[in-house]
Amino acid sequence: MTIQTTRSVDEVIGELEESYIASSPRSRDYFERGQSSMAGAPKGAYFHKPYPLAMDRGEGCYLYDLDGRCFVDCANHHTAQILGHANPAVAEVVRRQLERGIVLGAPMGVEAEMCEEMCRRVASLERIRFCNSGTEATLHAIRLARFFSGRGKVAKFEGGYHGSHDAVEISVSPPLDQAGPPEAPVALPTAGGMAPNAAENVVILPYDDEAAVERLVEQYRDDLACIIFDPKAGIWSQRREFVQAVRECARKNGVLFILDEIVGFRVAMGGLQEHYGIDPDLTTYGKVVGGGFPAGAFGGRAELMDLLDNSQGGSGIFQSGTFSAHPMVMGAGMATLRQLTPEAFAHLNGLGERLREGLEELFEREQIAAKIVVLGSLFSLYFTDREVTNYRVAAKSNQGLSYPIFLALLEQGYYLNQGLGMCALSLPMAASHVDGLVEAVGVAIERVT
Ligand code: PMP
């Protein structure tokens, strides 16, 4: 059943915004003060209507806003805070590093530990390099693929996000009326201001369609430096066979395969590649590997990564960066990885499974046209009766409901991402937090419909 509203959605939104405004005066003051110096918000993702909540502190799985209200955090800083907030072991490492001088323009020992740990966890990683963000990680991995292959084009999937640079910010959220046929999507720049030919360097592949992927990769293989792929995208469900087929298609056509695990690394000890049983040539990381600090990383086969090895005289490609491999970040990352044990993943993924079961049961019982997509401890909520397996299904869902549901969840003390996509559970959570969220979603849907 499609969701029917007895009142207009606008009326409900009006009521919810009124309640939001009444309970967050300090956040409002903060937002208004910022208008004279910020371009709307300190960063794009920090804005949502009517104005963002400003937080005072976080502890475990809770956030406390400037007005003293407490929320169960189901966003976890864009999925990065897998241990929740103010983790004592991370805080201790950071405190020690502050005392040792913060950052000294030379390695301090912790970098090797972190690189070894990543290579130990992930079978395909023979070498790894660190940078400051996921964006930098995909930029450098793609540059390395271009350098190695001597080819210029990049294949990426429609709806996939890999950071904000010209090689990948193409067809991330294309308007459906301009996106072309589903089996041969048109490459459209996502943001203004890109190099005029940015989209010409990108081949767009559709999720969940092996035949189309094979045809397009075969067609462009002589020009393709790499395929960059995030099997979880927005998140929507991907069949294991499809993920494996994409990897094999790259191999068969002699095209490098870059797996984007910037978000997905949080699903298993060995990340998405362990989960799906694939062996990428290069993999990109970010988010959790920095333990709450700005981090990115990319790594893979020695044959490729060693091209960056300037200790051997250099091959003509270089990667560095003022704050890359920052010892505070490496320390916080190591302190995080140490806590990400098999038991921790079992707990996190068990919570994800409980959420999926709880919401599926709710939607079934109440005959609600909604889908919950869960991967490990990541989840997204859609208002549609179709299985969400690609960008176009997600784009056709009833996105008008996400905002009022988001506000209705905040009202009940659950903090999700504004579009209800790419939300994440954290290690300090218990079954009761998940059950509370399921109940709150039920109440929110009732409130909005
Ligand atoms: N790849 C994926 C899959 C992402 O989700 C993101 C950010 N959400 C990025 C790359 C870019 O990472 P960053 O924001 O650290 O630049």
Side-chain angles (χ1 to χ4, degrees), residues 184-228:
V186 174
L188 295 169
T190 300
M194 288 193 185
N197 63 347
E200 288 166 27
N201 288 325
V202 179
V203 175
I204 301 298
L205 309 172
Y207 275 101
D208 195 35
D209 184 347
E210 287 93 326
V213 170
E214 296 212 357
R215 190 175 41 73
L216 288 164
V217 172
E218 218 172 285
Q219 182 181 342
Y220 289 101
R221 66 179 171 198
D222 293 341
D223 298 320
L224 279 180
C226 60
I227 299 175
I228 184 162

Side-chain angles (χ1 to χ4, degrees), residues 10 37 106 119 132 195 207 232 288 309 353 444:
D10 287 347
S37 58
C119 291
N132 303 291
Y207 275 101
K232 53 132 250 338
V288 303
D309 180 357
E353 194 50 26

Side-chain angles (χ1 to χ4, degrees), residues 246-257:
V246 175
R247 200 289 162 253
E248 287 317 311
C249 173
R251 198 188 321 270
K252 202 172 69 189
N253 287 286
V255 175
L256 290 176
F257 179 76

Side-chain angles (χ1 to χ4, degrees), residues 133-136 138 161-163 230 232 260 262-263 287 295 422:
S133 65
T135 292
E136 277 185 45
T138 60
Y161 180 67
H162 305 287
D230 171 7
K232 53 132 250 338
D260 181 341
I262 288 161
V263 172
K287 312 254 186 194
M422 277 261 287

Side-chain angles (χ1 to χ4, degrees), residues 372-395:
I372 172 78
V373 181
V374 173
L375 180 64
S377 51
L378 296 159
F379 68 97
S380 291
L381 195 55
Y382 299 93
F383 294 100
T384 175
D385 51 10
R386 294 181 58 190
E387 289 306 320
V388 186
T389 55
N390 64 40
Y391 168 72
R392 297 195 186 201
V393 178

